[in-house]
Amino acid sequence: MYSVLKIIKLNKVHEYFLQDIKTNKEYRLILEFYGIDYPKVNDFLLLNENLLNPNHERYCQPYAFGILEASNTKLDKIDLVGLMTKDKQYLLQRRYG
């Protein structure tokens, strides 16, 4: 299952404050992005809920994301991330974290 998260605040060290648009629950994650401009306040991330759960075995900080490579067909669903900015939409893959 995925959560749609709105970026509500940013800190200097790539710390993102995110708010689930359905539940209003807030999260604080350190995120890195490769091959794209870093998201800004009011952009949206579509993240697997397990990446938000500190008790899940694959939860880790920081997370790093890059553009999904067409040759990478064996990704788990947990590794797929959506990013919606004012101008573009991206399908990303988790690189580490």
Side-chain angles (χ1 to χ4, degrees), residues 58 64 66-77 79-80 91-96:
R58 294 185 66 186
I67 298 291
L68 177 65
E69 297 171 2
S71 62
N72 198 346
T73 59
K74 296 183 181 182
L75 283 175
D76 291 337
K77 288 181 183 179
D79 294 323
L80 295 175
L91 186 55
L92 305 173
Q93 68 185 58
R94 184 168 59 131
R95 299 289 170 98
Y96 64 83

Side-chain angles (χ1 to χ4, degrees), residues 8-33:
I8 56 175
K9 183 180 171 185
L10 298 169
N11 277 347
K12 294 178 187 179
V13 294
H14 306 295
E15 183 179 34
Y16 284 75
F17 293 81
L18 309 163
Q19 184 175 45
D20 188 305
I21 64 168
K22 285 185 182 177
T23 66
N24 289 326
K25 185 172 180 180
E26 293 187 7
Y27 300 92
R28 190 174 81 192
L29 298 173
I30 297 172
L31 305 174
E32 298 174 359
F33 296 87

Side-chain angles (χ1 to χ4, degrees), residues 1-4 20 22 46-52 77-78 80:
M1 188 122 190
Y2 283 82
S3 294
V4 179
D20 188 305
K22 285 185 182 177
L46 183 67
L47 285 178
N48 187 293
E49 290 177 352
N50 291 326
L51 296 180
L52 302 171
K77 288 181 183 179
I78 195 170
L80 295 175

